Amino acid sequence: MTERTNKSRSRAKLRAKIDARDEKNGVTYQFAPDIATLGTLPSFNGTIHAVKIGPQKRTGSYIAALLYKLPDSEITPNTKTILYSHGNAADIGAMSGMQSLLAKNLKCNVLVYDYSGYGESGGIPMEKNTYRDVKLVYEWLVKNVTKHEHNVILYGQSVGSGPSCYLASRRSNVGGLVLHSPFTSGMRVLTPSRALSCLDIFPNIDRIKKVKCPVFVIHGLKDQEVACEHGMALHAAVPDDCKFDPWWVKNKGHNDITDGPDIV
């Protein structure tokens, strides 16, 4: 474990140096989707901007992100931007179809990012780093895109519910929170016993009680990875003045809620 940790730290330091050098030299990025793997992506009449956000003050790492931006002619002072925190077995490339659909059909911008140690992001994958990541990306988003916190909608899918709940519980002016196949906490997915609570991660069930924005929970009734009871418990714990009617999706599991012709 120590050898693996040391290798991860070495890679993270090297990536941080490269990203810092690229920023200094004015390097820009483009999104080149792997069509052979992803297939033909949904049409989107806006623009897709690939960016590196950083550096993190504590780690020096940069976070890779894609901004799906509506045409200027469609943007108003009230246009929302979804800050999308994806699931564990995904990255911003794999999520490109979903983000295009959201931006096109909801008439909003979408910013999706990779956690530290994922995809083209630097750093090391750790719970505390996901909190730093979402905070960094959120602050960049408000400064460079929305200008106002109330125009940001936090969207957390699966493990992404962790950083999303974390940030929503600390930002009173955020515009809303969507939880897609969320869990009450990491350890509770494995066992309802609290004997190992000291080892728990992403305590969403505690943080959701502190949010001050509208909350919308989505969960598949046939989810076998994170039982729908997790979503139901989180919905029940949301303050009454912040609850939106949940969507308990029939005949859908953990990863297929957005599959099919009727999505969005």
Side-chain angles (χ1 to χ4, degrees):
M1 181 64 72
T2 300
E3 181 180 357
R4 181 184 299 177
T5 300
N6 289 336
K7 286 183 178 180
S8 296
R9 289 174 177 170
S10 296
R11 285 196 298 267
K13 288 180 180 179
L14 177 60
R15 172 63 70 85
K17 288 182 180 180
I18 294 172
D19 286 342
R21 181 195 64 196
D22 288 348
E23 181 183 37
K24 182 178 179 180
N25 292 334
V27 172
T28 58
Y29 306 92
Q30 288 186 333
F31 176 48
D34 183 357
I35 301 301
T37 301
L38 299 174
T40 303
L41 298 178
S43 62
F44 172 58
N45 64 342
T47 53
I48 303 176
H49 303 269
V51 296
K52 286 284 187 79
I53 300 172
Q56 295 272 14
K57 292 181 180 179
R58 292 288 298 274
T59 66
S61 60
Y62 289 71
I63 300 302
L66 292 175
L67 173 63
Y68 294 74
K69 189 173 182 295
L70 294 174
D72 290 341
S73 60
E74 296 183 16
I75 294 178
T76 73
N78 295 319
T79 295
K80 306 303 181 185
T81 298
I82 292 174
L83 176 51
Y84 200 108
S85 298
H86 61 64
N88 182 57
D91 59 30
I92 58 178
M95 298 300 299
S96 55
M98 175 67 173
Q99 312 314 318
S100 295
L101 284 172
L102 287 174
K104 177 181 178 180
N105 290 285
L106 298 181
K107 302 298 182 183
C108 66
N109 302 315
V110 180
L111 181 65
V112 58
Y113 67 100
D114 274 337
Y115 311 117
S116 290
Y118 281 63
E120 292 300 313
S121 289
I124 300 173
M126 300 171 61
E127 179 193 6
K128 64 181 179 182
N129 281 343
T130 66
Y131 301 148
R132 293 168 179 162
D133 297 340
V134 73
K135 181 175 180 290
L136 176 72
V137 174
Y138 179 84
E139 291 173 349
W140 181 92
L141 178 60
V142 172
K143 179 180 179 181
N144 294 282
V145 181
T146 68
K147 308 303 180 184
H148 300 288
E149 290 185 84
H150 63 256
N151 280 335
V152 179
I153 308 298
L154 302 176
Y155 190 122
Q157 180 175 359
S158 189
V159 74
S161 62
S164 297
C165 282
Y166 167 84
L167 193 61
S169 69
R170 286 163 170 75
R171 298 284 181 159
S172 60
N173 294 322
V174 70
L177 173 65
V178 179
L179 298 177
H180 176 155
S181 304
F183 47 69
T184 50
S185 73
M187 189 61 71
R188 286 179 173 90
V189 176
L190 303 177
T191 173
S193 172
R194 304 309 297 146
L196 298 176
S197 60
C198 60
L199 302 176
D200 209 355
I201 61 172
F202 299 123
N204 295 336
I205 192 65
D206 300 321
R207 290 170 175 160
I208 198 68
K209 302 170 185 176
K210 302 175 183 178
V211 300
K212 294 181 172 59
C213 65
V215 179
F216 175 44
V217 181
I218 305 168
H219 215 119
L221 290 174
K222 290 190 174 182
D223 193 329
Q224 296 183 4
E225 296 182 42
V226 179
C228 190
E229 283 75 13
H230 284 260
M232 293 176 175
L234 285 166
H235 172 71
V238 174
D240 288 341
D241 60 339
C242 296
K243 286 183 181 179
F244 265 50
D245 289 342
W247 183 23
W248 311 131
V249 191
K250 295 180 180 179
N251 300 316
K252 293 292 185 177
H254 191 68
N255 296 311
D256 63 351
I257 287 177
T258 57
D259 292 351
D262 298 329
I263 178 59
V264 192

